[in-house]
Amino acid sequence: MPGKNLSREEAQQRAAILSVDTYRVHLDVTSAVDPSAATFRSTSTIAFRCSEPGAASFADLLAPAVRAVTLNGTALDPSEVFDGTRVRLEGLAAENLLVVEADCAYSRTGEGLHRFVDPVDGETYLYTHYEPADARRVFANFEQPDLKAPFTFTVTAPAAWDVYANAVHTEVTEEGAARTWRFAPTQPISTYLTAVVAGPYHVERAHYSRESKDGSTLEIPLAATCRKSLAKYFDADEIFTVTKQGLDFFHTEFDYPYPFGKYDQCFVPEYNIGAMENPGCVTFREEFVFRSKVTEAAYEGRANVILHEMAHMWFGDLVTMKWWDDLWLKESFADFMGSYGLIGAGTKYTAAWITFANRRKAWAYRQDQFPTTHPITADIRDLEDAKLNFDGITYAKGASVLKQLVAYVGAEAFFEGARQYFKRHAFGNTVLDDLLVALEETSGRDLRSWAAAWLQTSGVNVLTPQLTVDAEGRITELAVLQDGEPARPHRIAVGLYERDTDGALVRTERVELDVTGARTVVDGLVGKPRPALVLLNDDDLTYCKVRFDDRSLATLREGLGEIDQPLSRALAWSAVWNLTRDGLMPARDYLDLVDRFAGTESDIGVLQSLHQQSRTALDLYAAPEHRGEGERLLAACALRELRAAEPGSDHQLAWARFLALTADGTEHLQLVEGLLAGSARIDGLTVDQELRWSLWLALASAGRATAEELNGELELDNTASGRQHLTHCLAALPTPGAKATAWAAVVDSDELPNALVEAQIAGFAQAGQRELTAGYAAPYFEVIEEIWAQRSIEIAMRIVSGFFPHYQTDEATLAATDAWLAGHPEAAPALRRLVLECRDDLARALRAQAADRG
């Protein structure tokens, strides 16, 4: 639709003449409980000023119908001023009042106002999600982050419901079968940060108090909500514990009181992302309400997200980027603070930096090697660009660079700079230079060259040790070689490891230094015995890929699992995974390392990463002639380690899930069937509902489950999660009919909610079913441009990325992708970016297979 994809230039032009004083938004969602009702009533009243009286501008709105538009008391004809995406405003006065009454659509895609009906009890739930620009699906506004204003919400909802918004409610009035909730004005915030959550949510409450420096007491009411049918699983006490620890930590470090009054955390269904930092009303995906046993890594992950969103209250909500090219000013900081805060706040999750090094940075390394990679401060031309830049660069690479910055300037200078930044720009909008000024003042360092190297360029450097030794085996020189452009300044630690009397690889020397240029000599190691292992970037201070000298690589092949420090071991695992992805280590060698050493891995998060990565290595990087051997190796490893794991432990559960991912032979599948039927038993392993669905998926993919049996499992778990699992399993059945049904459900229809679209795609794309899905490669390239034009961007992204023929790893698929790219130069840039990234994954897989074949 014209004007839907707001450009940066349009936003700049609008911000140059407009400033917003207030929004008053009234939503009537009483129709939500009627399944046939597609819309709700929205009335938006905007008071704003124009610095050029007589000028024209526009408001944003995505709505099926507009009932009335009034500008400064004059009624405008909606058919003339509303084109489906924008409300045209002409002849503006110095001070203006715009009222737009619209019928806005309930969403099933997680964008705008999402409506969900719980299959357990038939209750209806609503919540909003807007980032980067979907508030316009709910009320008319100026949809750009630098036009901040206070918002006053009024919501009319069914009488049995509760309603939550950014501010506290000031009044609730009964009106027959409905209640109207009136909320206090917010602080000035951006449109994408506003929120409404409505429905019969279960709620738990707590309270946080803190004495301020001036002797006053800061009081913050806390709430945590979930659907009623999940209440029995809701561990709100644990959530509140992490919340209070985080509030203590951030108040101490940021020295700026939490500015948004209350702190609600709402766990909502069919959420597209992990969580969203709406001030005073944070929303989370309800998968964080664990209805079955999960590992400690899952709890750590949830705690990390809680602190990530809390950091946004300052980095993003209090101070917001002016436009989306400085998205990193909030996301990189929040991603860094999630891990930093888990340690600094004294939570029980002490492995945060191990998880960061092994999992988050893997995301960054992958994203940063695409041809579409971009600097952390990106060139965001429009909203479609912005949507795609919520990626591994903006989050994980940015966080890695901030970790490097803290090492570079020191923690105290870093946080003092943040404190000055908050006080100077509170409730305003900023760009990169605003932050650099504050950090330069507190650190005394010139950060312009650092920013140019780290924030304004793309790509990942590779660091490799170069050793020379004398005839007696002593080091005469150790240098660090840096590849990749540009050569950046890196603060790193170099660790030397040798075996102790028990055979463990222990660190015997550690040297910290600045690496600059193509070659940097490490001082202080001359005369030391040549070690068994040289580990660059020990302690994970910088963002880089590391390589090994020949002896160190041989040591890892012999005993990677024997490195005694968990973080150092995680870095070694990360390094050999990068070698595998880069085609420098055959996939079968990586699988051999997993087979021999994953069973001794103590960190559960690292272990679960190894499970995922080994599956990727087998499915994409192993040469076809080696896949059968690799499948047998991983399945045997999973069964062996499952039987050896401590009964009832997290490791046992992780290996049970891995068995479900790898089971291929009769022995393994019969065990899976026995675990489901109760005829087989592993001491200490509880086969709860989530594990049951994992086991059913294994059987479905192998053709050892019928649709009738799978539907029978739904009778035991007729919940939203159960329906998603069933959809996944049915689409995974190895039959032409199952694939055709899944394809048609997603491509030929726009009826499925976002969660079921995801489940259909996941079931359709099974690595072991390449022959069944090969025929969909050509139709894929025929439909994606139409899909992009017709679907919401969230759903279109899932379809374009999910249905790409990833497992057709052959030259013909690569050629077909290149032909589409060559034949569609005018396709939407965001669509081309997704296809280019899929193409790069495919080309990488072919290179890795060639290395595995050699």
Side-chain angles (χ1 to χ4, degrees), residues 279 445 533 597 726:
R445 286 181 176 263
L533 169 65
F597 300 122
L726 173 65

Side-chain angles (χ1 to χ4, degrees), residues 18 60 114 133 193 278 346 363 388 500 581 586 608 635 777 827:
L18 301 189
D60 300 291
H114 187 84
L193 291 169
N278 316 306
W363 181 26
L388 267 64
D500 65 8
R581 292 191 74 248
Q608 289 178 288

